[in-house]
Amino acid sequence: MNIDHLPFDRTGYFTEFICDYLADKPTIRNLYNSYPKLENFEARIAEKATHFPDANREILYKTLRAQYKNVALSSETESHLKKLKEPITFTVVTGHQLNLFTGPMYFLYKIISTINLTKDLKKAYPKYNFVPIYWMATEDHDFEEINFFNFKGKKLQWNRKASGAVGHMKTDGLADVFEAFANALGTSNNAEQLKELFRNAYLEHATLTDATRYLANELFGAYGLVILDGDDTNLKEQLIPYAQKDIFESVSYKKVSETVSKIEGLPEKYGIQVNPREINYFYLKDGLRERIIEQEGTYFIDNSELRFSKDELVAELEQHPERFSPNVIARPLYQEVILPNLCYIGGGGEIAYWLELKSMFEAMDVPFPVLLLRNSALVITEKQSKKLQKMNLSVADIFLRQSSFINKKIREISNIDIDFTPQKALLEDQFKALYDMAEQTDKSFLGAVKAQEVKQKKGLDNLEKRLLRAQKRKLEDQVRRMTEIQNALFPGQSLQERNLNFSELYLELGEELIPTLMKALEPLRLEFTVLEF
């Protein structure tokens, strides 16, 4: 196994906002409490210890015990559950949707990052315990985002009507997906293991929540992963005072809006990941998950006939907290209220919206966690690596956008120099003399000189492009082989981890896949990992 690394800002796949966060840029330091370094966790441990009551631990423990009632527990997960009752235990959390058969590879990278960080923290702070948590996004209602996974270039999709929270959905219809998947897998030992895993998860469990819990537990239970479903009455009872501040006082809306304005006012002109709503909760009941909207003192449930006065909605929240589902703005707060958490691990988009939330957390008097960008990885086979070496392609080369990738390599391997930079510099020197001459004789000629300079530079650009196209035709075989391997490693001109399902790698590596990734991924290294096996 060979491991290489590349700075995130050299991959071309991460926003300026995220790259500046990783660089700890001073202009955005007010958006977070602690940069993700081991030594910075000491302050977060001290802060969380004084802000997380023992009563909350007891509720968390009992809730998890109930959720794990019909799940085969590993000794590691059993130990972690018991430790959650102790005041010296803290969590590291990642969250993800209930993607069919894990969806893209980065589902694994998120959880591995989380598990590995708890190991790093235990080494640095041995008197404390650290538990990795996978927060299942069971209340999400974007079925179209989770109802498929890719396998060998084909989309295996679960076709059915859906509404409301996806975690409540029955697994009806997944036998058809299993049949298509099984036929495509083949009959190797690793293929049979994948079939059994899919069958046991989705054909032996009634809901998508139960299926996903089983699947994640099978993959990561041996590492002590604890899987949490926030769609729970006992847990949501703790959310009531915070939901009241959001719904009836607009605290979240006001604070996040202020932060968004500050981000928009920065000279870097970062994009905004999410914007807050006046009310950041959905109403969740009987296949319905719709926004709560206030109009002139009446609270409407969008796309329904449900209406509440303020007093009625207050009563509904107090009597049925499970019916109030936090959106993307409120869910992070919910997580930090019910968990003794130190760090949230997420993708670039997630970290970007978490960076909008610190002032809201302060207004709610809830500690803000460390934010860590999950590990990202490109997995290359030994055969692919040899192809890259044969074509003299580096790791940095293959991350280039395809047109830049081809042009760069064509210039390198061409037997003529197709870089007109020296000619352009010479041209600029010549026109400098013409500008001086016009300045001294008749300034009205300056415009004509400028026009001529632009025309001649454009002519050089066009000639450079034509010669480059001619060389591409001449080196057509080289271009074809280059694009073939880049397309294989970056399907759809996107990161491999956003397309590839773990099953393709499992066919090759089998049970060694996850241990291999565990060894390769270092959560606090803050670089993109390239792994050759």
Side-chain angles (χ1 to χ4, degrees):
M1 178 175 68
N2 294 318
I3 302 172
D4 201 353
H5 296 93
L6 193 69
F8 280 107
D9 61 0
R10 288 185 59 197
T11 67
Y13 285 93
F14 294 83
T15 66
E16 182 184 7
F17 194 24
I18 292 303
C19 291
D20 284 351
Y21 173 65
L22 295 176
D24 198 18
K25 194 168 184 177
T27 54
I28 59 172
R29 282 181 188 160
N30 64 328
L31 301 179
Y32 50 93
N33 285 332
S34 295
Y35 186 74
K37 290 182 179 179
L38 268 180
E39 58 266 32
N40 291 342
F41 278 88
E42 186 172 8
R44 300 282 70 81
I45 291 170
E47 181 183 38
K48 196 68 181 185
T50 59
H51 282 75
F52 197 74
D54 289 343
N56 288 25
R57 288 186 180 276
E58 189 64 29
I59 294 169
L60 177 64
Y61 175 76
K62 288 182 178 178
T63 299
L64 284 167
R65 278 295 181 193
Q67 293 184 2
Y68 269 93
K69 183 178 180 181
N70 297 315
V71 180
L73 280 172
S74 68
S75 58
E76 291 81 2
T77 298
E78 175 72 36
S79 174
H80 279 161
L81 287 176
K82 290 178 179 177
K83 287 176 179 176
L84 282 170
K85 297 176 69 175
E86 301 173 9
I88 57 171
T89 299
F90 300 91
T91 63
V92 174
V93 180
T94 193
H96 199 68
Q97 296 169 297
L98 308 189
N99 290 72
L100 188 60
F101 211 47
T102 77
M105 272 295 294
Y106 68 83
F107 173 84
L108 269 66
Y109 300 157
K110 273 186 165 183
I111 292 179
I112 291 170
S113 300
T114 304
I115 294 169
N116 281 348
L117 181 58
T118 60
K119 293 178 181 179
D120 292 342
L121 288 169
K122 185 63 177 176
K123 290 177 184 176
Y125 304 98
K127 69 178 181 179
Y128 299 104
N129 303 314
F130 304 95
V131 175
I133 302 282
Y134 162 44
W135 180 293
M136 294 191 294
T138 57
E139 296 176 53
D140 190 86
H141 59 258
D142 294 321
F143 179 65
E144 291 75 16
E145 293 185 5
I146 67 159
N147 69 339
F148 70 94
F149 65 98
N150 298 314
F151 182 74
K152 293 188 174 181
K154 295 183 179 179
K155 187 176 183 179
L156 298 175
Q157 186 166 320
W158 182 17
N159 295 308
R160 58 161 294 172
K161 292 182 179 180
S163 63
V166 296
H168 297 178
M169 289 176 55
K170 302 297 183 184
T171 52
D172 302 339
L174 282 170
D176 293 337
V177 178
F178 171 71
E179 184 176 353
F181 184 40
N183 289 337
L185 276 170
T187 58
S188 68
N189 289 336
N190 290 342
E192 293 303 321
Q193 291 174 15
L194 286 167
K195 292 174 191 176
E196 182 180 8
L197 185 61
F198 190 102
R199 183 191 301 110
N200 290 344
Y202 295 101
L203 306 189
E204 301 297 328
H205 291 86
T207 68
L208 192 55
T209 292
D210 291 339
T212 305
R213 182 186 291 111
Y214 173 87
L215 179 61
N217 186 62
E218 285 294 302
L219 293 174
F220 295 105
Y223 299 94
L225 181 69
V226 173
I227 303 158
L228 176 63
D229 179 8
D231 187 9
D232 184 276
T233 302
N234 293 324
L235 294 177
K236 284 190 175 178
E237 283 179 351
Q238 299 170 70
L239 188 61
I240 291 173
Y242 305 96
Q244 288 175 335
K245 288 182 180 180
D246 184 300
I247 296 170
F248 304 115
E249 300 176 35
S250 300
V251 171
S252 303
Y253 175 72
K254 293 172 184 174
K255 291 299 178 180
V256 179
S257 294
E258 289 172 6
T259 302
V260 166
S261 295
K262 290 176 182 177
I263 294 172
E264 288 177 329
L266 292 171
E268 292 83 1
K269 301 302 178 186
Y270 302 122
I272 299 301
Q273 189 68 25
V274 294
N275 284 291
R277 296 188 182 278
E278 286 82 357
I279 296 175
N280 294 285
Y281 284 81
F282 295 93
Y283 189 76
L284 179 66
K285 183 182 178 184
D286 301 332
L288 178 79
R289 186 179 187 249
E290 295 288 349
R291 289 172 51 205
I292 302 171
I293 302 170
E294 186 269 338
Q295 292 180 358
E296 298 179 353
T298 298
Y299 294 82
F300 299 81
I301 308 305
D302 201 23
N303 295 315
S304 80
E305 300 299 318
L306 292 171
R307 305 285 186 272
F308 297 90
S309 67
K310 180 179 179 180
D311 289 343
E312 289 170 338
L313 195 64
V314 169
E316 184 78 356
L317 176 59
E318 291 175 348
Q319 295 167 19
H320 298 286
E322 73 278 3
R323 295 178 183 174
F324 291 77
S325 178
N327 73 357
V328 67
I329 294 290
R331 193 211 61 80
L333 184 80
Y334 176 34
Q335 167 191 299
E336 297 301 311
V337 166
I338 66 171
L339 290 172
N341 194 48
L342 303 175
C343 178
Y344 183 75
I345 296 179
E350 291 174 281
I351 300 302
Y353 73 69
W354 271 87
L355 288 169
E356 300 175 19
L357 306 180
K358 185 165 80 79
S359 63
M360 177 191 78
F361 273 72
E362 291 169 349
M364 298 286 195
D365 194 26
V366 176
F368 194 65
V370 177
L371 303 178
L372 179 61
L373 183 67
R374 65 167 173 81
N375 283 117
S376 283
L378 174 66
V379 181
I380 301 177
T381 65
E382 184 180 3
K383 184 178 179 181
Q384 288 171 327
S385 181
K386 287 180 178 178
K387 285 183 179 180
L388 291 173
Q389 292 172 17
K390 191 174 180 180
M391 289 185 281
N392 197 30
L393 296 172
S394 69
V395 168
D397 286 336
I398 59 175
F399 277 87
L400 293 169
R401 299 302 179 185
Q402 193 156 95
S403 58
S404 300
F405 172 58
I406 294 170
N407 290 345
K408 180 177 183 290
K409 297 310 294 184
I410 288 297
R411 285 191 170 96
E412 287 179 11
I413 63 179
S414 175
N415 57 4
I416 61 172
D417 190 2
I418 314 177
D419 183 358
F420 285 5
T421 301
Q423 288 81 0
K424 291 174 185 175
L426 182 61
L427 190 66
E428 287 174 358
D429 287 341
Q430 292 173 337
F431 271 93
K432 184 179 179 182
L434 290 174
Y435 282 122
D436 290 341
M437 188 182 298
E439 186 77 32
Q440 296 173 26
T441 55
D442 188 343
K443 291 185 179 181
S444 65
F445 280 97
L446 287 171
V449 174
K450 180 65 176 176
Q452 191 64 30
E453 181 186 18
V454 170
K455 181 179 179 181
Q456 293 197 30
K457 280 185 175 179
K458 188 177 291 185
L460 281 175
D461 286 338
N462 289 335
L463 184 57
E464 186 178 23
K465 290 175 183 176
R466 289 178 64 185
L467 285 171
L468 195 58
R469 285 197 295 269
Q471 279 299 95
K472 286 180 184 178
R473 290 192 295 271
K474 187 176 179 180
L475 301 169
E476 185 176 354
D477 182 61
Q478 177 83 4
V479 170
R480 178 184 56 78
R481 287 185 287 121
M482 288 165 51
T483 54
E484 280 179 358
I485 193 164
Q486 192 187 46
N487 289 339
L489 294 172
F490 294 81
Q493 296 296 292
S494 181
L495 287 175
Q496 179 194 72
E497 64 185 31
R498 293 192 164 274
N499 289 275
L500 195 72
N501 181 262
F502 84 97
S503 56
E504 290 192 44
L505 295 178
Y506 195 95
L507 280 177
E508 299 292 329
L509 294 173
E511 293 179 351
E512 288 303 308
L513 172 61
I514 290 177
T516 298
L517 294 174
M518 284 281 182
K519 292 175 184 177
L521 301 180
E522 304 173 62
L524 292 173
R525 179 156 186 150
L526 303 181
E527 288 186 308
F528 197 102
T529 303
V530 181
L531 173 63
E532 178 197 330
F533 70 89

